[in-house]
Amino acid sequence: MIKAIKGTRDILPPESALWNRVESTAREIFDLYSFSEIRTPIFESTELFARGVGEDTDIVSKEMYTFEDRDEKSLTLRPEGTAPVVRACFEHQLRHEMPIAKLYYLGPMFRRERPQKGRYRQFHQIGAEVLGSDNPAIEAEILEMLQLFLVRIGIAEHTLLVNSIGCPLCRPPFLGKLKEALVAKRALLCADCRRRSETNPLRVLDCKVESCQPIIDSLPKISDFLDEGCRAHFDKFLGYLDAREIAYQQVPRLVRGLDYYTRTTFEITSTALGAQNTLIGGGRYDGLSEILGGPPLKGFGFALGLERIVLILQETKKIAETAPAQLFLAPLGEAAFEKATLIAKFMRAEGIRCVLDFEARSLKSAMRLANKLQTQHVLIFGETELQNSTYQLKHMASGEQTELTETDLRSKLVLGRLKGSF
Ligand code: HAM
């Protein structure tokens, strides 16, 4: 039998219910902060990511799913959402309508990484971008929003790591010193870092190879090179976090794996995840629009990995995965089954989660199934009940059974009982 491709996953029930819960909570919270949804295509021009994310990043150099279309145009399955959002913002002149565009997205992304727990080749992100402001207050507000989201879905234990990676004005002197230090340590670096130390030394700080870690720890720190503007921006950002009582750790080597960042960068990690412990990553990308050939545009945003959020929720069992049905219909005999199809239609239109069993079963087997599905009530009726227009409603938890007439069954009182599950 044909199997799913390595690094991709089928999201099955009951896990899919958890996904829906996380997605709907994100939508609710983002709405409170005036974000609107944007949906961009799954594939884009390769150039969008090559320029936006950066040729020398792992994403562009090793991980993109790139293919030639029939007209020989190079296309890429999107590895991330920020560059497409910035592209769409200009293509549709969104900023004429909203001076500060607050946009969120959710959907699949594609990176050809080595699959492991929490790391897939098709994975899903929920992200948000604020375009048109360089106020550090907006950065703190987004972190406040993320904290509310994490608490609301039940992930209270997480760590916020922050850094500033400066701007194109103060970064060159830092990169000069970094290069010098890397030349001295060249022999000790992994092959990728040896290459990066010449092409894009900032990427060395992002290396995950064990043997490079002590060397990275000894390298110059960007925080010692920030110019006045970047320093003031970062201090204001930290001040806004303090005022909101949002705890954080400053991590000078937090440069993130994409080239478009300037000034503030951040990650939110969770110890519950093991090696792939970054739940959320983001930062400011004031120069991205120009890199893509657009006019200047300030931007700040983040993306979270949905698979990683769901993994934590499954491990900590913070959210019940599916709500059991409120009513199981147990018709006994063919005529009762016909009637049951109409009762099910009525109940569902009234908003009651209802299970209609399509197999002809004995009462005992129907009750066993209702028990297994953890249904709250079972409606039992056979030929005799049909003739008298009566039904037996059994409350599964207490075992209590009530006889109902046709009118009772459709009454507000009984519908309320089914909905409230008492
Ligand atoms: P990123 O750090 O590359 O940032 O990805 C963000 C999050 O996506 C990660 O923290 C992780 O949870 C999840 N993720 C990344 N790769 C994988 C994978 N292979 N499998 C499972 N989950 C994964 C960005 O993508 C930026 N666009 C974020 C951003 C938005 N910055 C500013 N605005």
Side-chain angles (χ1 to χ4, degrees):
M1 182 65 194
I2 298 167
K3 296 238 170 79
I5 304 293
K6 190 175 168 195
T8 69
R9 291 179 68 229
D10 298 307
I11 298 152
L12 307 171
E15 185 189 324
S16 49
L18 210 46
W19 282 65
N20 288 338
R21 203 82 65 90
V22 175
E23 288 170 5
S24 61
T25 307
R27 287 181 195 280
E28 266 167 46
I29 304 279
F30 294 172
D31 185 46
L32 292 178
Y33 285 80
S34 319
F35 280 83
S36 313
E37 186 176 357
I38 181 168
R39 300 186 190 200
T40 63
I42 301 282
F43 57 87
E44 300 261 6
S45 293
T46 300
E47 205 189 350
L48 178 72
F49 303 109
R51 276 160 67 176
V53 176
E55 296 275 7
D56 202 51
T57 56
D58 281 354
I59 295 178
V60 174
S61 65
K62 302 184 197 164
E63 296 167 1
M64 292 208 303
Y65 282 96
T66 296
F67 57 98
E68 209 165 81
D69 203 355
R70 284 167 194 261
D71 59 4
E72 294 176 11
K73 187 171 167 48
S74 180
L75 304 178
T76 291
L77 297 185
R78 62 179 187 197
E80 64 103 47
T82 310
V85 169
V86 172
R87 176 199 54 68
C89 183
F90 280 109
E91 202 162 324
H92 307 288
Q93 301 181 345
L94 293 185
R95 296 219 28 251
H96 286 326
E97 283 144 50
M98 21 187 175
I100 295 186
K102 294 173 101 177
L103 301 164
Y104 79 87
Y105 49 90
L106 41 92
M109 306 288 161
F110 305 85
R111 296 183 193 175
R112 201 178 190 289
E113 294 192 76
R114 199 165 44 76
Q116 64 179 78
K117 187 179 165 197
R119 190 164 73 190
Y120 309 97
R121 291 181 172 175
Q122 172 173 326
F123 61 98
H124 297 76
Q125 283 187 344
I126 302 183
E129 315 291 348
V130 181
L131 302 169
S133 167
D134 66 352
N135 193 332
I138 196 81
E139 302 169 5
E141 192 181 87
I142 287 205
L143 288 163
E144 173 196 300
M145 177 172 91
L146 281 172
Q147 200 172 49
L148 183 61
F149 165 76
L150 288 172
V151 169
R152 189 70 65 85
I153 59 168
I155 302 183
E157 279 170 35
H158 53 264
T159 309
L160 169 62
L161 312 174
V162 298
N163 189 25
S164 172
I165 59 164
C167 67
L169 295 177
C170 60
R171 215 175 302 148
F174 165 68
L175 292 179
K177 285 273 180 251
L178 190 61
K179 261 190 173 172
E180 264 173 41
L182 287 170
V183 168
K185 307 263 165 75
R186 193 180 155 77
L188 303 171
L189 295 169
C190 72
D192 273 345
C193 283
R194 255 178 265 150
R195 179 179 47 80
R196 290 172 185 139
S197 60
E198 275 150 31
T199 53
N200 193 346
L202 209 56
R203 293 273 67 84
V204 173
L205 303 186
D206 206 34
C207 176
K208 304 283 182 292
V209 174
E210 199 56 46
S211 58
C212 288
Q213 303 311 306
I215 304 159
I216 294 172
D217 285 339
S218 71
L219 294 171
K221 293 185 173 53
I222 178 80
S223 43
D224 296 332
F225 290 80
L226 295 182
D227 65 19
E228 219 174 289
C230 290
R231 183 80 257 164
H233 184 101
F234 193 47
D235 287 345
K236 269 194 167 173
F237 166 64
L238 298 181
Y240 287 129
L241 291 182
D242 292 336
R244 287 173 166 80
E245 296 182 343
I246 298 176
Y248 56 85
Q249 283 174 25
Q250 288 190 54
V251 179
R253 55 180 278 191
L254 183 74
V255 291
R256 313 262 306 115
L258 304 94
D259 273 354
Y260 49 60
Y261 291 110
T262 52
R263 294 192 164 174
T264 314
T265 55
F266 75 92
E267 284 184 358
I268 296 181
T269 59
S270 165
T271 44
L273 275 174
Q276 298 305 313
N277 68 352
T278 309
L279 262 186
I280 308 179
R284 176 162 289 288
Y285 46 86
D286 291 347
L288 175 59
S289 166
E290 284 119 304
I291 295 171
L292 299 177
L297 175 70
K298 312 284 184 196
F300 182 85
F302 70 86
L304 61 83
L306 249 162
E307 281 81 359
R308 296 183 188 181
I309 297 270
V310 168
L311 261 174
I312 295 189
L313 293 177
Q314 282 177 320
E315 274 169 23
T316 53
K317 297 256 182 302
K318 282 280 164 58
I319 298 181
E321 284 170 350
T322 33
Q326 289 153 324
L327 183 65
F328 183 98
L329 296 176
L332 306 171
E334 209 167 304
F337 176 78
E338 300 292 323
K339 180 75 185 177
T341 60
L342 303 182
I343 297 175
K345 180 178 176 205
F346 169 80
M347 289 296 170
R348 287 165 178 156
E350 290 294 326
I352 288 162
R353 290 192 305 280
C354 188
V355 178
L356 173 61
D357 182 24
F358 291 94
E359 300 295 315
R361 285 177 202 273
S362 66
L363 181 58
K364 200 169 156 201
S365 142
M367 294 310 280
R368 213 180 298 132
L369 180 60
N371 236 330
K372 191 171 160 206
L373 297 175
Q374 300 180 336
T375 326
Q376 285 144 357
H377 289 88
V378 179
L379 193 69
I380 306 159
F381 54 106
E383 303 295 323
T384 325
E385 283 85 359
L386 263 191
Q387 273 163 18
N388 306 335
S389 282
T390 55
Y391 302 88
Q392 300 296 324
L393 182 68
K394 183 165 182 169
H395 183 240
M396 295 299 276
S398 63
E400 204 178 286
Q401 200 157 308
T402 323
E403 184 166 289
L404 303 175
T405 65
E406 184 80 40
T407 321
D408 292 338
L409 185 63
R410 292 162 194 267
S411 69
K412 283 210 160 52
L413 187 74
V414 170
L415 294 177
R417 223 173 103 179
L418 292 174
K419 273 191 196 157
S421 300
F422 49 86

PDB file of all heavy atoms in Angstrom, residues 260-278:
ATOM      1  N   TYR A 260      16.440  38.079   7.589  1.00  0.00           N
ATOM      2  CA  TYR A 260      15.778  39.386   7.489  1.00  0.00           C
ATOM      3  C   TYR A 260      15.661  40.158   8.801  1.00  0.00           C
ATOM      4  O   TYR A 260      15.171  41.282   8.816  1.00  0.00           O
ATOM      5  CB  TYR A 260      14.404  39.274   6.816  1.00  0.00           C
ATOM      6  CG  TYR A 260      13.442  38.211   7.322  1.00  0.00           C
ATOM      7  CD1 TYR A 260      12.987  38.170   8.626  1.00  0.00           C
ATOM      8  CD2 TYR A 260      12.939  37.259   6.433  1.00  0.00           C
ATOM      9  CE1 TYR A 260      12.073  37.215   9.039  1.00  0.00           C
ATOM     10  CE2 TYR A 260      12.023  36.296   6.840  1.00  0.00           C
ATOM     11  CZ  TYR A 260      11.592  36.275   8.140  1.00  0.00           C
ATOM     12  OH  TYR A 260      10.698  35.331   8.545  1.00  0.00           O
ATOM     13  N   TYR A 261      16.118  39.568   9.907  1.00  0.00           N
ATOM     14  CA  TYR A 261      15.883  40.238  11.191  1.00  0.00           C
ATOM     15  C   TYR A 261      16.779  41.449  11.430  1.00  0.00           C
ATOM     16  O   TYR A 261      17.934  41.494  10.992  1.00  0.00           O
ATOM     17  CB  TYR A 261      16.044  39.253  12.341  1.00  0.00           C
ATOM     18  CG  TYR A 261      14.934  38.227  12.367  1.00  0.00           C
ATOM     19  CD1 TYR A 261      15.176  36.904  12.047  1.00  0.00           C
ATOM     20  CD2 TYR A 261      13.626  38.600  12.680  1.00  0.00           C
ATOM     21  CE1 TYR A 261      14.149  35.967  12.049  1.00  0.00           C
ATOM     22  CE2 TYR A 261      12.594  37.673  12.676  1.00  0.00           C
ATOM     23  CZ  TYR A 261      12.864  36.369  12.366  1.00  0.00           C
ATOM     24  OH  TYR A 261      11.839  35.456  12.357  1.00  0.00           O
ATOM     25  N   THR A 262      16.212  42.446  12.098  1.00  0.00           N
ATOM     26  CA  THR A 262      16.962  43.607  12.597  1.00  0.00           C
ATOM     27  C   THR A 262      16.468  43.859  14.022  1.00  0.00           C
ATOM     28  O   THR A 262      15.332  43.534  14.347  1.00  0.00           O
ATOM     29  CB  THR A 262      16.649  44.897  11.813  1.00  0.00           C
ATOM     30  OG1 THR A 262      15.226  45.063  11.798  1.00  0.00           O
ATOM     31  CG2 THR A 262      17.164  44.853  10.393  1.00  0.00           C
ATOM     32  N   ARG A 263      17.292  44.421  14.838  1.00  0.00           N
ATOM     33  CA  ARG A 263      16.919  44.784  16.216  1.00  0.00           C
ATOM     34  C   ARG A 263      16.323  43.595  16.999  1.00  0.00           C
ATOM     35  O   ARG A 263      16.941  42.561  17.081  1.00  0.00           O
ATOM     36  CB  ARG A 263      15.977  45.992  16.206  1.00  0.00           C
ATOM     37  CG  ARG A 263      16.701  47.250  15.699  1.00  0.00           C
ATOM     38  CD  ARG A 263      15.918  48.501  15.934  1.00  0.00           C
ATOM     39  NE  ARG A 263      16.780  49.673  15.795  1.00  0.00           N
ATOM     40  CZ  ARG A 263      16.366  50.916  15.826  1.00  0.00           C
ATOM     41  NH1 ARG A 263      15.082  51.193  15.984  1.00  0.00           N
ATOM     42  NH2 ARG A 263      17.221  51.919  15.717  1.00  0.00           N
ATOM     43  N   THR A 264      15.076  43.735  17.476  1.00  0.00           N
ATOM     44  CA  THR A 264      14.541  42.739  18.420  1.00  0.00           C
ATOM     45  C   THR A 264      14.332  41.355  17.788  1.00  0.00           C
ATOM     46  O   THR A 264      13.699  41.239  16.746  1.00  0.00           O
ATOM     47  CB  THR A 264      13.180  43.240  18.959  1.00  0.00           C
ATOM     48  OG1 THR A 264      13.334  44.617  19.312  1.00  0.00           O
ATOM     49  CG2 THR A 264      12.724  42.427  20.147  1.00  0.00           C
ATOM     50  N   THR A 265      14.874  40.328  18.455  1.00  0.00           N
ATOM     51  CA  THR A 265      14.535  38.949  18.095  1.00  0.00           C
ATOM     52  C   THR A 265      14.076  38.250  19.367  1.00  0.00           C
ATOM     53  O   THR A 265      14.472  38.646  20.470  1.00  0.00           O
ATOM     54  CB  THR A 265      15.750  38.174  17.537  1.00  0.00           C
ATOM     55  OG1 THR A 265      16.807  38.252  18.479  1.00  0.00           O
ATOM     56  CG2 THR A 265      16.215  38.714  16.200  1.00  0.00           C
ATOM     57  N   PHE A 266      13.244  37.227  19.204  1.00  0.00           N
ATOM     58  CA  PHE A 266      12.825  36.480  20.404  1.00  0.00           C
ATOM     59  C   PHE A 266      12.448  35.048  20.051  1.00  0.00           C
ATOM     60  O   PHE A 266      12.160  34.735  18.896  1.00  0.00           O
ATOM     61  CB  PHE A 266      11.653  37.176  21.111  1.00  0.00           C
ATOM     62  CG  PHE A 266      10.331  37.002  20.417  1.00  0.00           C
ATOM     63  CD1 PHE A 266       9.483  35.948  20.753  1.00  0.00           C
ATOM     64  CD2 PHE A 266       9.925  37.865  19.416  1.00  0.00           C
ATOM     65  CE1 PHE A 266       8.264  35.779  20.111  1.00  0.00           C
ATOM     66  CE2 PHE A 266       8.716  37.697  18.763  1.00  0.00           C
ATOM     67  CZ  PHE A 266       7.880  36.662  19.111  1.00  0.00           C
ATOM     68  N   GLU A 267      12.489  34.210  21.066  1.00  0.00           N
ATOM     69  CA  GLU A 267      11.982  32.838  20.946  1.00  0.00           C
ATOM     70  C   GLU A 267      11.281  32.473  22.243  1.00  0.00           C
ATOM     71  O   GLU A 267      11.649  32.975  23.307  1.00  0.00           O
ATOM     72  CB  GLU A 267      13.134  31.844  20.690  1.00  0.00           C
ATOM     73  CG  GLU A 267      13.627  31.928  19.256  1.00  0.00           C
ATOM     74  CD  GLU A 267      14.695  30.921  18.851  1.00  0.00           C
ATOM     75  OE1 GLU A 267      15.137  30.119  19.700  1.00  0.00           O
ATOM     76  OE2 GLU A 267      15.095  30.968  17.676  1.00  0.00           O
ATOM     77  N   ILE A 268      10.277  31.632  22.139  1.00  0.00           N
ATOM     78  CA  ILE A 268       9.645  31.092  23.337  1.00  0.00           C
ATOM     79  C   ILE A 268       9.880  29.588  23.309  1.00  0.00           C
ATOM     80  O   ILE A 268       9.585  28.926  22.306  1.00  0.00           O
ATOM     81  CB  ILE A 268       8.144  31.450  23.392  1.00  0.00           C
ATOM     82  CG1 ILE A 268       7.990  32.974  23.504  1.00  0.00           C
ATOM     83  CG2 ILE A 268       7.455  30.735  24.555  1.00  0.00           C
ATOM     84  CD1 ILE A 268       6.570  33.481  23.583  1.00  0.00           C
ATOM     85  N   THR A 269      10.490  29.074  24.375  1.00  0.00           N
ATOM     86  CA  THR A 269      10.846  27.653  24.402  1.00  0.00           C
ATOM     87  C   THR A 269      10.066  26.948  25.512  1.00  0.00           C
ATOM     88  O   THR A 269       9.540  27.598  26.422  1.00  0.00           O
ATOM     89  CB  THR A 269      12.354  27.464  24.682  1.00  0.00           C
ATOM     90  OG1 THR A 269      12.645  28.061  25.941  1.00  0.00           O
ATOM     91  CG2 THR A 269      13.212  28.132  23.616  1.00  0.00           C
ATOM     92  N   SER A 270      10.037  25.619  25.387  1.00  0.00           N
ATOM     93  CA  SER A 270       9.390  24.841  26.439  1.00  0.00           C
ATOM     94  C   SER A 270      10.228  23.613  26.717  1.00  0.00           C
ATOM     95  O   SER A 270      10.644  22.922  25.781  1.00  0.00           O
ATOM     96  CB  SER A 270       7.993  24.427  25.988  1.00  0.00           C
ATOM     97  OG  SER A 270       7.525  23.405  26.835  1.00  0.00           O
ATOM     98  N   THR A 271      10.466  23.322  27.983  1.00  0.00           N
ATOM     99  CA  THR A 271      11.279  22.151  28.336  1.00  0.00           C
ATOM    100  C   THR A 271      10.523  20.860  28.033  1.00  0.00           C
ATOM    101  O   THR A 271      11.136  19.807  27.908  1.00  0.00           O
ATOM    102  CB  THR A 271      11.642  22.161  29.832  1.00  0.00           C
ATOM    103  OG1 THR A 271      10.463  22.522  30.544  1.00  0.00           O
ATOM    104  CG2 THR A 271      12.757  23.130  30.130  1.00  0.00           C
ATOM    105  N   ALA A 272       9.200  20.962  27.880  1.00  0.00           N
ATOM    106  CA  ALA A 272       8.402  19.751  27.621  1.00  0.00           C
ATOM    107  C   ALA A 272       8.699  19.150  26.255  1.00  0.00           C
ATOM    108  O   ALA A 272       8.279  18.046  25.961  1.00  0.00           O
ATOM    109  CB  ALA A 272       6.915  20.089  27.730  1.00  0.00           C
ATOM    110  N   LEU A 273       9.455  19.863  25.396  1.00  0.00           N
ATOM    111  CA  LEU A 273       9.592  19.426  24.008  1.00  0.00           C
ATOM    112  C   LEU A 273      10.838  18.608  23.683  1.00  0.00           C
ATOM    113  O   LEU A 273      10.911  18.020  22.614  1.00  0.00           O
ATOM    114  CB  LEU A 273       9.581  20.656  23.090  1.00  0.00           C
ATOM    115  CG  LEU A 273       8.198  21.163  22.697  1.00  0.00           C
ATOM    116  CD1 LEU A 273       8.327  22.455  21.920  1.00  0.00           C
ATOM    117  CD2 LEU A 273       7.432  20.137  21.879  1.00  0.00           C
ATOM    118  N   GLY A 274      11.833  18.571  24.531  1.00  0.00           N
ATOM    119  CA  GLY A 274      13.071  17.861  24.180  1.00  0.00           C
ATOM    120  C   GLY A 274      13.917  18.702  23.238  1.00  0.00           C
ATOM    121  O   GLY A 274      13.957  19.927  23.362  1.00  0.00           O
ATOM    122  N   ALA A 275      14.568  18.049  22.251  1.00  0.00           N
ATOM    123  CA  ALA A 275      15.549  18.746  21.405  1.00  0.00           C
ATOM    124  C   ALA A 275      14.930  19.903  20.618  1.00  0.00           C
ATOM    125  O   ALA A 275      15.502  20.987  20.534  1.00  0.00           O
ATOM    126  CB  ALA A 275      16.205  17.757  20.462  1.00  0.00           C
ATOM    127  N   GLN A 276      13.775  19.675  20.027  1.00  0.00           N
ATOM    128  CA  GLN A 276      13.129  20.734  19.232  1.00  0.00           C
ATOM    129  C   GLN A 276      12.285  21.581  20.181  1.00  0.00           C
ATOM    130  O   GLN A 276      11.060  21.505  20.174  1.00  0.00           O
ATOM    131  CB  GLN A 276      12.265  20.118  18.113  1.00  0.00           C
ATOM    132  CG  GLN A 276      13.057  19.297  17.128  1.00  0.00           C
ATOM    133  CD  GLN A 276      14.206  20.088  16.529  1.00  0.00           C
ATOM    134  OE1 GLN A 276      14.042  21.218  16.107  1.00  0.00           O
ATOM    135  NE2 GLN A 276      15.386  19.497  16.502  1.00  0.00           N
ATOM    136  N   ASN A 277      12.969  22.374  21.012  1.00  0.00           N
ATOM    137  CA  ASN A 277      12.233  22.992  22.118  1.00  0.00           C
ATOM    138  C   ASN A 277      11.720  24.396  21.813  1.00  0.00           C
ATOM    139  O   ASN A 277      11.141  25.038  22.657  1.00  0.00           O
ATOM    140  CB  ASN A 277      13.093  22.980  23.396  1.00  0.00           C
ATOM    141  CG  ASN A 277      14.293  23.899  23.266  1.00  0.00           C
ATOM    142  OD1 ASN A 277      14.556  24.423  22.182  1.00  0.00           O
ATOM    143  ND2 ASN A 277      15.001  24.104  24.351  1.00  0.00           N
ATOM    144  N   THR A 278      11.945  24.890  20.593  1.00  0.00           N
ATOM    145  CA  THR A 278      11.431  26.229  20.282  1.00  0.00           C
ATOM    146  C   THR A 278       9.992  26.140  19.798  1.00  0.00           C
ATOM    147  O   THR A 278       9.696  25.536  18.783  1.00  0.00           O
ATOM    148  CB  THR A 278      12.301  26.915  19.209  1.00  0.00           C
ATOM    149  OG1 THR A 278      13.651  26.827  19.630  1.00  0.00           O
ATOM    150  CG2 THR A 278      11.919  28.368  19.038  1.00  0.00           C
TER     151      THR A 278
END
